[in-house]
Amino acid sequence: MSVVSVEIETAVAAPAPVTTPLVGLSRGVIVALASVWLIWSSTYYALRVAVLALPPFWVGGVRYLAAGLVLMAFARARGDAFPRGRAWLHALGIGVLLFVVGNGFVAFASREIGSGVVAIVCGTMPLWGALLGRFLGAPVSPRELLGLGTGFVAVGLLAWGNDLRGSPLAVGLLCLGPIGWALGSLLVRRVDLGSATAGAGVQMALGGFGLLVVSVATGEPIVPPAAPLEAWLALAYMVVLGSFVGFVAYQYLLREARPALAMSYAY
């Protein structure tokens, strides 16, 4: 695990005091925000590189199943708390929303649609979170809504002149992706899934398994075809940084920060 991940896990175990009254953010939240903003802003391009040469659902399945199992083993070795009883079913549902819908659908669309446009469409996710949060006990304040609206306008300006071209299936799945991710993110706050590391590992492992089931069901090859080195490097980058560090940081934010702040990485 990286230094950033250790910093986040330390904050989970014993949340740091607020060090900057003006900002009102703990050290752990600041570290987690920086990790998610910097790492996940680059994974759209890495995903594009990987799925141009490898089956999209297979890529997601391998990425999240591998990362999830490693994180679960790490959490078990540390003695972290795991989900109990029906929480495993909740983790499965959240994993499907986050990784099959939120990531798998986007990966499929990335084969036809450029990474810049994909990132722009995924920028609608915080607004979906604000809308769905009204029904799930996480309403946004007027100030947060203003911030989300400003971000969406900025996303629209970036999208100006970009053409969302692709098959109807690819465009449809891309538009569903942010909805699934926003809904899954909100549900994380309502279920006790153990520690941040254990919860992230369980969700990723179950979501990765679901992606592999979809991969087989859609006829993707079980053994992927020969691919250039850059595709494998992109997959490794997504596993190590995008999942190990990025998703653990995101889980921490969902528990310790307002949903609007946690989902701000999309901008």
Side-chain angles (χ1 to χ4, degrees), residues 201-214:
V202 168
Q203 291 171 65
M204 283 195 288
L206 293 175
F209 178 77
L211 281 166
L212 290 178
V213 170
V214 174

Side-chain angles (χ1 to χ4, degrees), residues 158-180:
L158 288 173
W160 193 269
N162 285 281
D163 192 1
L164 183 60
R165 285 187 288 184
S167 67
L169 177 61
V171 173
L173 292 181
L174 176 59
C175 292
L176 287 175
I179 301 174

Side-chain angles (χ1 to χ4, degrees), residues 53-55 58 62 212 215-216 219-227 232:
L54 296 167
W58 184 91
V62 169
L212 290 178
S215 174
V216 173
E220 290 183 352
I222 298 177
V223 178
W232 296 108

Side-chain angles (χ1 to χ4, degrees), residues 149-192:
T150 303
F152 184 71
V153 170
V155 168
L157 292 175
L158 288 173
W160 193 269
N162 285 281
D163 192 1
L164 183 60
R165 285 187 288 184
S167 67
L169 177 61
V171 173
L173 292 181
L174 176 59
C175 292
L176 287 175
I179 301 174
W181 188 271
L183 180 57
S185 298
L186 290 169
L187 293 177
V188 167
R189 300 169 59 89
R190 301 169 62 89
V191 182
D192 182 7

Side-chain angles (χ1 to χ4, degrees), residues 116-140:
V117 176
V118 169
I120 289 167
V121 173
C122 289
T124 63
M125 187 269 292
L127 291 179
W128 285 111
L131 175 62
L132 296 172
R134 296 177 62 88
F135 304 99
L136 293 173
V140 297

